[in-house]
Amino acid sequence: RTILDRNHLKAPSSHIPIETLSKGWEKMLDDAHVMGHEYLIVAWIDEPDRTVDGYKRIAELFNRAGETARKAGIRLGYHNHSYEFAPVDGQRPYNILLTNTDPKNVVFELDLFWIVKGGADPLTYFTMQEGRFPLAHVKDMDPRGGMVDVGRGTIDFPSIFRHAKQAGIKHYFVEHDEPADPFASIAASYKYLRALRF
């Protein structure tokens, strides 16, 4: 926190392991207050739990931990990759998580690259679950499905950002998971986004 304050930075959210929801959750919430986090985000579900029943169990875990977090002034959320959009026994896992979690206690951090790569449309989810996406990861995809600097790919950011109020987006995180040159990558993404009108 001292390093953040010295550099006039804020960290509104952090990714956390799912295991902390069952062990050490109160300590994690205390640490979040120290850091100034508003959100704590689970970003991975292990393969053995990627069944219909597994997702439902995790949704219940999210509900319980999310209620505790909300009472402590923190919001619990989930960050998607692409696997949550591939049907499991005829059901889309992301939908299981959305419909089986309480909006009061659980929010979602939508990764725009991974939802598009998974074959889903962000705007469909903004309509389906208005206001549940306070965080968005902004990264772009080339025609072959690879990650590129924002603005150099095929994702239609203007149409997505036009629906930001409907989605409930409050924080945008610009990313590239494996850039050849991180500083050049973020500079290119920033240049595109700064000039973007929607």
Side-chain angles (χ1 to χ4, degrees):
R1 176 62 184 267
T2 300
I3 293 169
L4 289 171
D5 290 346
R6 185 187 304 136
N7 290 280
H8 309 289
L9 296 172
K10 293 184 179 180
S13 72
S14 179
H15 283 190
I16 57 170
I18 195 170
E19 292 78 14
T20 59
L21 303 184
S22 303
K23 186 176 181 182
W25 188 223
E26 289 76 13
K27 173 70 164 58
M28 181 67 75
L29 294 172
D30 289 342
D31 290 346
H33 283 295
V34 172
M35 292 300 296
H37 298 323
E38 304 166 53
Y39 303 90
L40 291 175
I41 308 296
V42 173
W44 190 258
I45 294 173
D46 289 333
E47 286 193 40
D49 294 318
R50 296 179 197 174
T51 65
V52 170
D53 288 341
Y55 284 109
K56 287 180 179 178
R57 282 194 305 272
I58 287 168
E60 283 307 307
L61 174 62
F62 285 174
N63 282 327
R64 291 192 301 272
E67 182 177 16
T68 302
R70 178 176 54 80
K71 290 176 178 177
I74 304 288
R75 303 304 306 277
L76 173 66
Y78 181 71
H79 170 286
N80 64 282
H81 289 83
S82 58
Y83 62 81
E84 300 93 340
F85 300 97
V88 174
D89 294 334
Q91 298 187 57
R92 182 172 270 179
Y94 198 72
N95 296 21
I96 295 172
L97 293 173
L98 278 169
T99 58
N100 287 277
T101 51
D102 186 337
K104 294 196 309 290
N105 297 326
V106 182
V107 298
F108 288 79
E109 177 177 67
L110 194 64
D111 188 299
L112 299 174
F113 172 89
W114 288 115
I115 186 173
V116 172
K117 192 171 181 72
D121 181 356
L123 301 185
T124 298
Y125 284 93
F126 295 167
T127 301
M128 183 190 308
Q129 295 276 336
E130 290 191 14
R132 287 199 79 181
F133 307 94
L135 311 173
H137 279 205
V138 181
K139 45 194 176 186
D140 212 343
M141 183 171 63
D142 68 23
R144 298 182 304 278
M147 198 173 295
V148 293
D149 300 337
V150 179
R152 294 183 175 170
T154 60
I155 294 179
D156 185 358
F157 292 107
S159 72
I160 293 171
F161 293 164
R162 277 195 293 270
H163 292 84
K165 185 174 181 181
Q166 180 187 34
I169 300 174
K170 295 177 179 157
H171 298 285
Y172 300 82
F173 300 91
V174 180
E175 288 191 326
H176 190 315
D177 290 4
E178 297 180 346
D181 181 334
F183 287 102
S185 176
I186 195 63
S189 295
Y190 173 78
K191 183 178 180 181
Y192 166 77
L193 289 167
R194 188 166 186 235
L196 187 64
R197 300 293 179 264
F198 51 90

